[in-house]
Amino acid sequence: MVITSVDVIQSIIDGILYGSIYALIGVGFTLIFGAMQKLNMAYAASSIAGAYCGLGISAVLSLNLLVTFFLGPLVGGLIGILVYLVCFRFIPSREHLGSLMASIGALFLIDEIIVHETDGSPLNFPELGIFSEAYFLVGEFGFRGDLIFVLIVSLLAMTSIILMLYRTKYGLAARAVSQQMNAAILCGINPHKVNASTFFLAGVLGGLAGCLAAAAVGVISPLLILPLTIKGLIATVIGGLGSIKGAIIAGLLLGGFESLFLLVRGVNERDIYVFLLLFLFLVFKPNGMFGSIIDRD
Amino acid sequence: MEYYFGILQTLGFHVLLGYSAYILLLTGQLSLAQVGFFAIGAYASGILTVLFEWHIFPALFIGAIAAGCMAFMVGFPALRIKGLMLVIATIAFSEIVRLIFFNLRWRFEINGLEVGPDGAQGFREIRYFAANGWEIYEIVWLIWTMVAVATILLWWLDQIKAGAILRAIGSDELAAESSGINVTSVKIVAMACGGVIAGLSGGLYAHSTTYVDHNTFTVLLATFAVSYPLVGGLKSVFGTLAAVIFIQGILIEGLRFLGDYRTILFGALIILVMNFKPKGIVDENFVKGISEYLRLNKKLIK
Amino acid sequence: MTVLSIKNVSKRFGGVLAVDDLDLTVDKGEIVGLIGPNGSGKSTTINLICGVFPMDKGSIKLFDNDLKGLARYERSHLGIARTYQNIRLFGGLTVWQNVWIATRQNGIGSFAKKLGALFLRSQKSVEAVDELLDLFALQNKANIAAENLSFGEQRRLELARALASEPKLLLLDEPAAGMNSEEVQELRDRIFKVRDLGISVLLVEHVMELVMNVTDRINVLNFGKKIAEGKPNAIQGNALVQEAYFGS
Ligand SMILES: Nc1ncnc2c1ncn2[C@@H]1O[C@H](COP(=O)(O)OP(=O)(O)O)[C@@H](O)[C@H]1O
Ligand SMILES: [Mg+2]
């Protein structure tokens, strides 16, 4: 097969659209990192779990797709709070590996529960109705309707999060806690409540990302968890640990990059190059695209 | 009997994997790359004995060294930055290694039989032990000799300055560096040593099971590797040993009747230990108890 | 001979100019005080000397070595040692090990020597550690984990550890905080002993009882700027200093 420049650009377009899911996950990681300077490794797992629950509940109650897209994020948020409670809330931060390790434990706990409950087989995820059929042609390039939907929903969600962080009382409290924990406590802010809210918000974003990913792929499977975890983390690092703007841009670019290598190297080798990209950044731009200079502490 | 020898082998690989993570954890760094080094050791030594018909010992040695060199190369960029970056970089590294072996096809005929890594089909035919008439107890003996040597070396590490330096970094990096320790290079050396041990473990594993494929080298196995020292506690190397026996011997092997609930239990166990015993099960009091007991015995002997 | 010379050094944290165009020197065998109200940039100055974070502008020299771009451990090898305002010991290690870690062999001498120091306990290093523990009255605690020491003992251990690297310049960040007057006396005697070893000292301190009695010269900071410098009794009467401390 000859790869034309049209193919290349088309695949990058598809990838960038799908990359909005990585951007969402990356923003979730960043929110939690920003709040506690910690990684929540269970984050993508709880996102997929949220989507599973949304799908399951609406299937049992035979509700329509719209409800799935409402329930998925909601349950994702609730699982987020749960993860906060069992992995972050009570583990003293001087044991700096404690929460990290516990969240890795939670990652496999969630993953295995899903595998166990579904016997490891993927479930069909409903298509996005009219969006799935739509296809827009702009010149030589096509835009898949469902991926456009994914992009728009993601951008809306991320915009609301940023507005929340900078325009609401919660956002003020969250930023206060992350910058000056003790001063915030003196001002009467309860840091645990604020952190739990952050985990909830991140979980909502994650549940949304899980639903969008499942809708775009057409099935939902625990096999989505690990790639989503790693790619979300890579988006976080490449964007610059702690930068929301960075995570969004890096997530989109990562999607494009991934799709390009899918075209050029095939599905079996694609992820090798995506993961190598991380090492390129670690060597040449360790603070990512938008990271403030990270202390070498 | 075969069954118990099989368990002993499994325990041996896991103890070595746990040790490889332990060294780096002493410096406060969590690496999920150990499974990548394990895979490199497995494939490299397997290729040497199968495709190049080497003797097992040089093959194991080169496998371990190859893994160590790789560890050095990964550690170099990843350890210069924040500790969290290492987690992300190592998880990506392990997946890169897994995918490379997933795609690796390198087969040719040896003695009229086509052998070698076969992409997604895995690498079968690593039959050095069978072909050379090793009995299973001899294999177990080999594995546990390696475990014993590694245990003694790691125990000795705590008697010398090198060990104290590792722990000092784990305890306070800034203070250690301001006391004249080149923290980054110590961490990289620790990473390389961990790579060597993991590679050795991988080589032993490949030859004992005669068969490896990419499905073995998952992030789950990487998590097992770091969970042993963390669950066992970093106070001493024996914590890791105890944790392997507890997790692999009791939780995974002993509770076979629970089926796949066991992996769920594994996740739950980690969460529980981190919440209630963040310093691991073999913690200060545990060690104090034992050392007091030993001191008593010493006095009695005198 | 000038041991430490700081010229035009500034450091900004976001909106805070923590150190503002600072000049400061410490001569050989001198004990120099650095005082100023809380938040005036004293700890930041020490952190800049040790390379905890880079400075924005200016230069810091130890003897003739420009410290710019040097890693923290390299600065230690050049002869800078410090204590911390909030004690930073290696909590899980024993008292003995805490001092042993810092003994001079780290990174000094030939490669073989360095390697040997990692694996062997040289008689010299053992003696050096024991001597320091004696000096700081910690010999009977040698095998106790540092985190189990009392506050005063931890402070002494931090000093012992700092001296183990055989520094030429010792930076002390509020070493007398929380001490009673008897302990302050002991600390004063120890600082004099350190000076007698030929080590220059930069002492950041609030406890006037100590600063006034032990230093040869005092620098006063306010909002990151040096507002006065002079002999202790001259500083005591300086109106600017009193205003900085007590407000107008
Ligand atoms: N790492 C840091 N990040 C941000 N601001 C800092 C940091 N260290 C010190 N500061 C700020 O710099 C100013 C000087 O602090 P410091 O040097 O600790 O004062 P002092 O030791 O004289 O009490 C303070 O306003 C403090 O908040
Ligand atoms: Mg201070």
Side-chain angles (χ1 to χ4, degrees), chain B residues 10-269:
Chain B
T10 309
L11 290 181
F13 313 135
H14 283 264
V15 172
L16 288 175
L17 258 184
Y19 285 174
S20 80
Y22 168 84
I23 300 184
L24 202 60
L25 277 168
L26 288 183
T27 68
Q29 306 295 310
L30 188 106
S31 153
L32 291 174
Q34 304 324 102
V35 72
F37 307 141
F38 182 79
I40 290 170
Y43 268 85
S45 63
I47 286 170
L48 288 175
T49 58
V50 173
L51 292 178
F52 297 95
E53 301 179 89
W54 282 30
H55 188 273
I56 180 86
F57 289 124
L60 286 177
F61 181 74
I62 295 297
I65 295 298
C69 292
M70 207 60 222
F72 184 83
M73 279 157 54
V74 180
F76 207 77
L79 286 163
R80 284 167 49 218
I81 327 163
K82 256 194 177 177
L84 287 180
M85 219 60 110
L86 185 71
V87 183
I88 302 172
T90 52
I91 203 173
F93 167 78
S94 286
E95 283 292 287
I96 291 175
V97 172
R98 186 179 69 76
L99 289 169
I100 286 177
F101 289 134
F102 179 73
N103 286 291
L104 177 69
R105 227 188 97 88
W106 185 13
R107 292 172 73 80
F108 50 79
E109 263 183 34
I110 297 282
N111 305 328
L113 216 67
E114 201 193 68
V115 290
D118 189 8
Q121 308 304 312
F123 184 4
R124 288 148 202 280
E125 319 101 4
I126 312 176
R127 301 196 183 285
Y128 181 89
F129 287 138
N132 290 277
W134 285 54
E135 299 286 341
I136 185 160
Y137 70 86
E138 288 173 314
I139 304 173
V140 170
W141 196 86
L142 173 65
I143 294 171
W144 278 86
T145 308
M146 298 294 181
V147 172
V149 170
T151 310
I152 291 171
L153 283 178
L154 287 176
W155 174 82
W156 179 62
L157 188 66
D158 267 333
Q159 320 302 313
I160 61 177
K161 192 164 183 177
I165 287 177
L166 291 178
R167 287 180 187 279
I169 294 173
S171 155
D172 190 329
E173 264 183 42
L174 177 71
E177 195 166 12
S178 294
S179 301
I181 296 166
N182 183 344
V183 169
T184 306
S185 53
V186 173
K187 282 191 207 160
I188 292 174
V189 170
M191 183 92 173
C193 291
V196 168
I197 300 180
L200 174 68
S201 177
L204 290 167
Y205 170 82
H207 287 86
S208 317
T209 55
T210 73
Y211 158 71
V212 289
D213 74 359
H214 73 103
N215 276 323
T216 316
F217 310 121
T218 56
V219 179
L220 179 63
L221 187 59
T223 305
F224 271 110
V226 287
S227 71
Y228 301 133
L230 286 177
V231 168
L234 295 171
K235 264 285 148 200
S236 103
V237 62
F238 300 107
T240 305
L241 189 64
V244 172
I245 294 171
F246 177 67
I247 293 177
Q248 278 299 322
I250 298 175
L251 189 73
I252 303 293
E253 284 297 330
L255 303 180
R256 257 183 194 285
F257 63 93
L258 284 178
D260 57 358
Y261 277 112
R262 288 168 303 163
T263 357
I264 298 182
L265 281 182
F266 172 63
L269 172 78

